[in-house]
Amino acid sequence: MLESRITTQNLSFAYKTKQIINNVDLNVAAGQVLVILGPNGIGKSTLLNCLSGVLNKYQGDILVNDQSLRQLTIKDLSHQVALVSQGVNIKSSLTLFDYLLLGRSSFHSIFDQPDDHDKTIVKQIIQQIGLENYTNISLQSMSGGQRQLAIIGRALAQEPQILIMDEPTSALDYRNQTVVLKLIKMLSDQGISIVMSTHDPNQAQMVGDQVGLLIDNQTYKQGPVNEILTDKYLSKLYGIPIISTYNELVDRKIFGIGMD
Amino acid sequence: MTLLALIIVSMMMGRYDLSLSEVSKYFIGQANSSSKLILELRFIRIIAVVLVGAGLSMAGATFQSVFSNGLASPNLLGVSTGSSVGAAIAILNGKSIYWIEISAFITGILTVFLTLLINKILRSNSNITLILSGIIMSGLMQSVLGSVKYIADPENQLQSIVYWELGSFMKVDSQALISVGPILIVGIIFLLLTRWRLNTLSLDTYTIKTIGINPTLNRNLMILFATLLTAASVCLCGVVGWIGLVVPHVSRSLVGEDNRYALPMTAITGAILLLIADTLARSISVNDIPLSIITGFIGVPIFIVILIRRRNVGI
């Protein structure tokens, strides 16, 4: 049994009187990828925002490396958990290098400047995300896919053990989706645990170890990919017929929408 | 270097032009008594101008980063008018320069707070709404200032208050510089030291938090010091327009968006630009011309150019 990195116990969250998520018990082990699936507006982002410490008025408990998230300072949490938000609306006009450096902020006091160690780490990450040629390019003049990689890079600069990714591929074309998914696979091989949400069950099939379904505001179901990613569960999840076929060329199931 | 050369040139210029040798004699303590007197006054004034130019521009750059809004400036957020209300009330009550300073700071902070409150009530994240809130508060503060002027004794109080409205360094003396200068220096040093953090604060609130930085605490600290700089500037020379808005843009177009380089550049550019403006203000006519008239003539064309250059990127 792998050591668990992030666990929730009866996690619930309500906006005013509206219950968004209810009694979620999720569990992610070291180096595992948990893919969260669910229809629009079901609370995927809310769940991820709770896990990353952005929303803190939740009920139940979140354990990060067996420590309650409530007892961690913002700074300590940022060294364990990093959030990758959707990159479409990012406004920063810093260069890629300066933007990634921001991930190092909490390692320093307010009066400090980034040091050589920070710069070395950022250079390594830029290589890892494959944007060496864009080091000094402003984020504003990058493509959507590059910006998404930049956000992942900034999160990695925090040297986290857990990455929380809110629909990291939703604004990207097929090619860029693949780039990001490959990066996710590589990071999990390095031992980083990942919780990501997506609208595409095929992505869960490709990179997921575990799949979590937010079926309605009352039910959360998590399990290994083979058990959860079935036509029956997915059809129920989205309320439409979903049919999978096995593709020998890619050696995995491909999910399609069945229309009458 | 440019700044130092400009200080020397500015020392030479004025209603009585002096030669370079007389200026250099002053600095080694050998000037004759009449030119010494003039240079002493000019030197005090130039130091004040340099500090205010740097301070106001840095305040503008800080507001622009903290609110991720290229239109934010001490004037457009209402801070300048707010501070001048405090200063005017203190003058009305015949208080010392220290009380004028404290009073300007309190009403300055109060104005920022109310501007942000209005922005929150309007529930919009648009850059224009924040500026609208600033204009609303600025309008309110103008009315308060108008009332204070109405009550003021027309013989001398009113004059001092009117002097505040368009900005001038005419009345800056050694006492004013000694009491307000250190506050400007502290504010400038604080913002220079925290300039990397300012980059982080230009991100959205959620992201700042997950990076491990307390967004509210850090932003408020920056707003506090930017307001302190604005209030101190208002105490020395009244409301000077355009500097806080335009200079940060000019600096960023020179050295890029990273505040680690843009903020020091802003300080120097601001000092240079205000020094040019003030030297013109005291040289081109017999009477001192109010500063905002000159900064307006310089600032408006620059701002239009910036807007045109940025229209594709969005401001």
Side-chain angles (χ1 to χ4, degrees):
Chain A
M1 185 69 190
L2 284 164
E3 123 194 51
S4 83
R5 283 279 168 76
I6 193 160
T7 315
T8 66
Q9 292 164 350
N10 292 326
L11 180 68
S12 303
F13 188 91
Y15 278 114
K16 290 180 181 159
T17 55
K18 191 171 179 247
Q19 195 71 28
I20 308 289
I21 50 175
N22 210 1
N23 291 325
V24 171
D25 290 316
L26 67 71
N27 181 21
V28 189
Q32 268 193 341
V33 180
L34 166 65
V35 182
I36 307 282
L37 292 174
N40 282 329
I42 197 74
K44 294 191 292 297
S45 294
T46 306
L47 174 61
L48 298 185
N49 284 333
C50 287
L51 295 180
S52 60
V54 168
L55 298 174
N56 44 24
K57 286 178 182 155
Y58 53 81
Q59 283 89 51
D61 208 359
I62 300 171
L63 301 177
V64 178
N65 289 320
D66 298 325
Q67 223 183 339
S68 172
L69 192 148
R70 284 197 181 90
Q71 278 150 19
L72 292 166
T73 61
I74 294 182
K75 182 177 160 183
D76 289 340
L77 181 65
S78 75
H79 297 170
Q80 299 185 57
V81 180
L83 175 70
V84 175
S85 51
Q86 295 180 40
V88 211
N89 299 322
I90 184 170
K91 276 208 312 194
S92 182
S93 22
L94 291 171
T95 64
L96 177 69
F97 189 83
D98 294 332
Y99 178 71
L100 260 58
L101 265 184
L102 300 184
R104 305 296 301 164
S105 298
S106 69
F107 293 88
H108 297 276
S109 91
I110 187 169
F111 296 114
D112 285 339
Q113 300 296 315
D115 55 28
D116 289 342
H117 179 61
D118 300 318
K119 291 173 187 169
T120 313
I121 289 178
V122 166
K123 275 182 199 149
Q124 284 168 355
I125 293 171
I126 291 179
Q127 272 184 352
Q128 202 175 7
I129 58 177
L131 292 181
E132 295 96 321
N133 297 333
Y134 295 86
T135 306
N136 294 314
I137 304 289
S138 156
L139 246 57
Q140 288 290 354
S141 33
M142 288 190 181
S143 73
Q146 290 162 342
R147 263 185 247 171
Q148 188 65 52
L149 288 171
I151 296 179
I152 297 174
R154 195 218 64 231
L156 289 175
Q158 293 169 226
E159 298 182 284
Q161 298 173 315
I162 302 152
L163 266 188
I164 311 285
M165 308 172 101
D166 193 358
E167 297 186 17
T169 58
S170 64
L172 307 182
D173 62 26
Y174 267 145
R175 201 191 104 81
N176 283 314
Q177 285 183 19
T178 317
V179 173
V180 170
L181 291 174
K182 272 187 183 159
L183 182 61
I184 289 172
K185 200 75 194 155
M186 187 169 82
L187 294 171
S188 86
D189 288 344
Q190 291 169 7
I192 296 179
S193 304
I194 292 164
V195 184
M196 63 173 275
S197 61
T198 177
H199 284 298
D200 187 353
N202 291 305
Q203 292 186 359
Q205 185 79 43
M206 283 155 80
V207 298
D209 297 300
Q210 294 265 313
V211 176
L213 304 181
L214 277 170
I215 299 169
D216 48 46
N217 296 111
Q218 301 301 320
T219 320
Y220 173 78
K221 187 167 180 60
Q222 185 187 327
V225 175
N226 305 339
E227 285 176 26
I228 302 290
L229 277 187
T230 60
D231 297 0
K232 188 183 132 202
Y233 277 132
L234 290 176
S235 302
K236 188 182 164 198
L237 184 69
Y238 294 108
I240 49 163
I242 287 181
I243 300 149
S244 62
T245 49
Y246 180 75
N247 186 317
E248 281 177 8
L249 287 174
V250 293
D251 188 27
R252 63 163 194 269
K253 279 201 281 187
I254 306 270
F255 292 93
I257 302 165
M259 299 224 289
D260 343 290
Chain B
M1 278 307 289
T2 322
L3 181 59
L4 283 180
L6 206 67
I7 289 176
I8 305 289
V9 174
S10 176
M11 291 284 281
M12 290 158 62
M13 286 176 67
R15 241 148 281 150
Y16 307 96
D17 286 342
L18 292 164
S19 70
L20 182 60
S21 72
E22 279 166 305
V23 173
S24 42
K25 272 183 194 160
Y26 169 74
F27 280 113
I28 53 172
Q30 288 176 356
N32 62 46
S33 57
S34 65
S35 58
K36 190 181 173 193
L37 200 69
I38 297 170
L39 285 170
E40 185 106 20
L41 282 173
R42 270 186 206 167
F43 191 59
I44 288 169
R45 181 162 171 164
I46 287 168
I47 296 299
V49 170
V50 167
L51 288 177
V52 168
L56 273 183
S57 313
M58 288 174 74
T62 303
F63 285 132
Q64 287 172 13
S65 282
V66 168
F67 298 122
S68 352
N69 187 336
L71 293 173
S73 76
N75 287 28
L76 285 179
L77 291 172
V79 188
S80 303
T81 329
S83 294
S84 54
V85 165
I89 292 172
I91 293 170
L92 190 66
N93 291 305
K95 298 289 186 191
S96 71
I97 180 89
Y98 295 104
W99 280 106
I100 297 179
E101 167 71 18
I102 292 168
S103 172
F105 179 64
I106 292 172
T107 49
I109 279 287
L110 193 72
T111 315
V112 186
F113 174 75
L114 290 174
T115 298
L116 295 179
L117 189 71
I118 295 174
N119 187 49
K120 208 168 181 178
I121 292 169
L122 295 175
R123 283 190 189 173
S124 157
N125 282 327
S126 131
N127 285 354
I128 297 298
T129 317
L130 179 67
I131 300 308
L132 255 176
S133 314
I135 291 172
I136 293 172
M137 273 317 292
S138 208
L140 178 66
M141 287 299 163
Q142 284 286 359
S143 299
V144 179
L145 192 63
S147 326
V148 175
K149 273 158 71 182
Y150 187 73
I151 312 169
D153 154 30
E155 287 298 308
N156 43 47
Q157 285 175 342
L158 185 61
Q159 243 185 345
S160 314
I161 296 171
V162 170
Y163 164 85
W164 247 258
E165 282 186 286
L166 285 171
S168 167
F169 283 92
M170 199 168 64
K171 290 188 182 173
V172 173
D173 53 16
S174 58
Q175 199 222 335
L177 185 63
I178 288 165
S179 52
V180 181
I183 298 170
L184 284 165
I185 292 171
V186 168
I188 289 170
I189 290 176
F190 178 87
L191 290 181
L192 276 179
L193 287 176
T194 57
R195 63 193 191 276
W196 183 42
R197 183 60 55 88
L198 203 52
N199 282 354
T200 314
L201 296 179
S202 64
L203 301 172
D204 67 282
T205 309
Y206 279 8
T207 309
I208 300 173
K209 202 171 166 187
T210 58
I211 282 180
I213 302 295
N214 183 328
T216 322
L217 182 72
N218 281 266
R219 277 184 172 148
N220 287 345
L221 208 58
M222 299 285 181
I223 294 171
L224 208 71
F225 273 91
T227 308
L228 190 67
L229 282 177
T230 311
S233 301
V234 166
C235 288
L236 268 186
C237 65
V239 180
V240 179
W242 295 99
I243 292 284
L245 177 65
V246 168
V247 172
H249 287 286
V250 174
S251 311
R252 282 195 291 261
S253 68
L254 292 174
V255 296
E257 300 282 331
D258 185 350
N259 280 308
R260 283 184 295 148
Y261 309 103
L263 206 65
M265 192 66 190
T266 299
I268 292 169
T269 317
I272 289 174
L273 216 66
L274 197 60
L275 190 54
I276 294 173
D278 184 61
T279 308
L280 290 176
R282 62 182 169 80
S283 307
I284 48 181
S285 107
V286 186
N287 293 313
D288 263 49
I289 302 169
L291 259 181
S292 282
I293 295 178
I294 294 175
T295 54
F297 279 126
I298 302 175
V300 172
I302 298 179
F303 194 59
I304 290 173
V305 173
I306 292 165
L307 284 179
I308 293 171
R309 279 181 56 183
R310 288 198 151 226
R311 85 190 138 184
N312 300 325
V313 197
I315 203 150

